[in-house]
């Protein structure tokens, strides 16, 4: 029996601890918080988007950084196995729009409790309120850990699953990067990912709190298209958020750090310009004696209406039977291309994940073991791996956690 120490009690750490224990290792799980899964608790707005039912091709396509590295991980512990694993732990699941998988209860606490029950059943030593200060390695092999209390603890294998920098209030303060660097590992440039974006225009504040569903977005750098998607977004006091915006931030974030970009919102993506023009014309004809601001009220949510009227350039009091064809065309163009200037990303405190991390070139993708230090493994967000929204980042945590746990302290699965 080998002694395996797991650093970090989040998604990847708990998964690694489960499978290290199932391989009959003596497992110690160190978490600096007072409880396990603090970040997991708030994922998916507290509902916990466990994974996605996408096929393998879509799964890899959803990964932004280093998808090829995940080949062994995703095939060793698939999204189907993830669902089966949680069902076995008593966490019933359901599938929602876009293949997103949630617990039937809509409570992330049920996911955490399911993992805790399994950790306890397997006899894992859960050590809370305990911060790991250093990794101990001698002659290229891991030897154990030095705790913040000054206590040294021996281990035959160590799995670092300490998370990234996002949501630092949950304990993600970059500890894993520091430990990896102390052992010679390279850390690729770090930045917030799946994070809201700031905009320049005055009307962002006017729209604060408004959620739009079934809209299309395109982000451009001049004439170059950087990102396109369809779904749901939210206006905030500083700019924009919501699923399509968060996913866009992971693709366009590095460019946005260098220069401003343009967000194009198609408010009626199901209609062509010609179809939309006919729709607007119908509204005008049925309200031909009404003021413009009242005649188009049925086209938009109440909060959006005054902004669209203002940006249209058509006086709000103007009777619709006086509006010219050119004015109407300009108005339909606005509906199909409502633009905002993106000026930057929000901070790590609002980011769902961290982009960048421990270079995967120095990690064996079949086992998650360090190529530099024998017996040292990594899993989850601490690695230079990230994906768009939809349950894909948690699948990375489960799959890499599984591989690390399955191989730590063992020569065979």
């Amino acid at each position: 029996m080998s002694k395996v120490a797991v650093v970090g009690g989040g998604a990847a750490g708990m998964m690694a601890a489960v499978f290290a224990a199932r391989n009959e290792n003596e497992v110690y799980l160190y978490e600096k918080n007072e409880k396990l899964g603090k970040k997991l608790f708030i994922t998916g707005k507290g509902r916990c988007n466990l994974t996605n039912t996408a096929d393998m091709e879509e799964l890899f396509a959803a990964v932004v950084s280093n998808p090829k590295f995940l080949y062994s991980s995703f095939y060793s512990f698939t999204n189907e196995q993830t669902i089966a694993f949680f069902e076995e732990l008593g966490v019933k699941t359901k599938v929602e729009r876009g293949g997103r998988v949630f617990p039937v209860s809509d409570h992330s606490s049920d996911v955490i409790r399911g993992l805790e029950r399994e950790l306890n059943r397997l006899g894992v030593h859960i050590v809370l309120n305990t911060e790991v200060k250093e990794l101990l390695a001698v002659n290229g092999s891991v030897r154990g850990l030095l705790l913040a209390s000054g206590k040294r603890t021996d281990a035959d294998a160590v799995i670092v699953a300490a998370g990234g920098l996002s949501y630092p209030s949950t304990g993600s303060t970059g500890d894993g990067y520091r430990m990896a660097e102390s052992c010679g590992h390279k850390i690729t440039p770090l930045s917030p990912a799946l994070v809201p974006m700031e905009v320049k225009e005055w009307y962002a504040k006017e729209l604060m709190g408004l959620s739009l569903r079934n809209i299309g977005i395109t982000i451009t750098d001049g004439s170059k298209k950087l990102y396109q998607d369809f779904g749901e977004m939210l206006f905030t006091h500083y700019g924009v958020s919501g699923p399509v915006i968060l996913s866009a931030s992971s693709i366009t974030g590095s460019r946005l750090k260098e220069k401003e970009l343009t967000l194009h919102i198609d408010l009626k993506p199901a209609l062509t310009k010609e179809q939309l023009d006919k729709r607007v014309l119908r509204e005008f004809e049925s309200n031909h004696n009404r003021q413009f601001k009242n005649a188009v009220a049925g086209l938009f949510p109440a909060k959006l209406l005054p902004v669209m009227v203002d940006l249209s350039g058509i006086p709000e009091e103007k009777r619709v039977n006086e509006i010219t064809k050119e004015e109407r065309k300009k108005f339909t163009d606005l509906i199909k291309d409502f633009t905002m200037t993106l000026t930057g990303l929000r901070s790590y405190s609002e980011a769902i994940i961290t982009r960048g991390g421990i270079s995967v070139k120095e990690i064996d993708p079949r086992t998650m073991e360090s190529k530099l230090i024998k017996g040292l493994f990594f899993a989850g967000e601490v690695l230079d791996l990230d994906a768009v929204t939809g349950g894909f980042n948690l699948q990375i945590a489960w799959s890499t956690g599984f591989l690390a746990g399955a191989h730590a302290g063992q020569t065979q699965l």
Side-chain angles (χ1 to χ4, degrees):
M1 180 185 286
S2 299
K3 182 178 177 183
V4 177
V6 181
V7 182
M14 286 190 281
M15 184 63 88
V18 165
F19 283 95
R22 285 187 181 184
N23 278 346
E24 299 182 352
N25 294 300
E26 184 182 7
V27 181
Y28 286 77
L29 176 56
Y30 294 92
E31 169 54 55
K32 67 179 180 181
N33 288 311
E34 74 285 358
K35 58 186 177 183
L36 298 175
K38 281 193 85 169
K39 185 176 174 186
L40 192 57
F41 183 74
I42 62 173
T43 60
K45 297 178 182 175
R47 295 175 61 219
C48 194
N49 184 184
L50 279 171
T51 185
N52 195 288
T53 58
D55 62 29
M56 276 298 171
E57 190 176 332
E58 293 173 297
L59 212 57
F60 285 110
V63 179
V64 178
S65 303
N66 303 305
K68 289 180 180 176
F69 175 82
L70 286 163
Y71 190 89
S72 291
S73 297
F74 279 175
Y75 276 102
S76 295
F77 196 79
T78 67
N79 47 358
E80 291 178 355
Q81 285 171 281
T82 296
I83 295 167
F85 171 79
F86 281 103
E87 293 274 351
E88 287 166 14
L89 297 189
V91 182
K92 299 300 178 187
T93 61
K94 61 180 176 179
V95 181
E96 296 189 2
R97 181 175 52 82
R100 297 173 301 161
V101 179
F102 293 90
V104 167
S105 66
D106 283 331
H107 293 140
S108 55
S109 54
D110 289 346
V111 175
I112 298 166
R113 274 198 292 268
L115 287 163
E116 285 180 325
R117 282 195 303 269
E118 183 65 0
L119 291 167
N120 289 322
R121 184 187 74 80
L122 293 164
V124 172
H125 304 275
I126 299 171
V127 189
L128 301 174
N129 298 302
T130 302
E131 186 175 347
V132 175
K133 189 174 182 183
E134 288 179 32
L135 294 173
L136 303 176
V138 178
N139 298 327
S141 292
V142 79
R143 288 290 183 266
L145 304 170
L146 176 63
L147 306 181
S149 64
K151 180 184 175 183
R152 296 167 66 100
T153 179
D154 295 333
D156 301 300
V158 171
I159 302 171
V160 175
L165 291 168
S166 60
Y167 292 135
S169 60
T170 65
S172 301
T173 51
D175 300 345
Y177 305 137
R178 179 175 46 76
M179 292 177 209
E181 274 188 311
S182 72
C183 293
H185 278 280
K186 179 188 174 186
I187 309 300
T188 62
L190 304 169
S191 65
L194 296 185
V195 64
M197 294 192 269
E198 298 177 346
V199 303
K200 182 185 289 184
E201 284 74 15
W202 60 269
Y203 42 86
K205 262 187 184 171
E206 302 291 317
L207 298 172
M208 181 176 67
L210 174 64
S211 179
L212 296 178
R213 295 190 176 193
N214 304 319
I215 50 90
I217 70 158
T218 303
I219 295 177
T220 60
D221 177 3
S223 60
K224 186 176 181 182
K225 185 190 295 183
L226 302 178
Y227 185 82
Q228 193 165 32
D229 201 1
F230 171 88
E232 185 178 343
M233 67 172 289
L234 171 73
F235 292 99
T236 66
H237 68 283
Y238 52 78
V240 287
S241 186
V244 293
I245 297 297
L246 298 179
S247 289
S249 73
S250 286
I251 308 295
T252 63
S254 55
R255 186 77 62 94
L256 188 55
K257 284 194 286 187
E258 299 168 5
K259 61 193 299 192
E260 293 181 349
L261 302 174
T262 304
L263 169 65
H264 305 262
I265 305 168
D266 184 347
L267 296 167
K268 303 289 182 183
L271 301 176
T272 64
K273 274 191 180 180
E274 292 73 22
Q275 290 170 329
L276 178 60
D277 187 50
K278 288 177 182 176
R279 166 82 190 279
V280 172
L281 193 56
R282 283 199 303 273
E283 294 287 334
F284 282 9
E285 287 171 347
S286 58
N287 296 279
H288 66 281
N289 284 322
R290 300 186 74 188
Q291 295 176 335
F292 172 60
K293 65 179 180 181
N294 297 321
V296 296
L299 291 172
F300 313 106
K303 200 171 250 189
L304 182 58
L305 177 62
V307 172
M308 295 300 289
V309 169
D310 187 286
L311 295 177
S312 74
I314 302 171
E316 63 176 37
E317 310 292 339
K318 191 172 187 176
R319 303 284 175 184
V320 293
N321 56 13
E322 299 171 352
I323 293 173
T324 66
K325 183 179 179 181
E326 288 70 27
E327 286 177 320
R328 192 181 77 238
K329 182 181 181 302
K330 183 183 173 186
F331 182 55
T332 56
D333 287 346
L334 173 65
I335 297 171
K336 293 294 287 182
D337 189 14
F338 175 49
T339 62
M340 304 181 94
T341 307
L342 300 172
T343 58
L345 301 173
R346 298 294 282 178
S347 70
Y348 283 111
S349 64
E350 295 176 57
I352 294 176
I353 56 165
T354 307
R355 187 166 195 196
I358 298 165
S359 173
V360 295
K361 293 176 182 176
E362 300 166 349
I363 309 296
D364 185 338
R366 299 163 300 174
T367 63
M368 294 297 122
E369 186 173 17
S370 164
K371 292 179 180 178
L372 310 181
I373 305 291
K374 187 172 174 55
L376 175 60
F377 298 77
F378 297 98
E381 193 181 342
V382 74
L383 292 161
D384 183 11
L385 300 167
D386 65 282
V388 297
T389 57
F392 302 105
N393 287 288
L394 270 181
Q395 185 58 51
I396 292 174
W398 309 134
S399 294
T400 57
F402 164 79
L403 273 187
H407 288 89
Q410 299 285 124
T411 54
Q412 299 291 328
L413 277 177

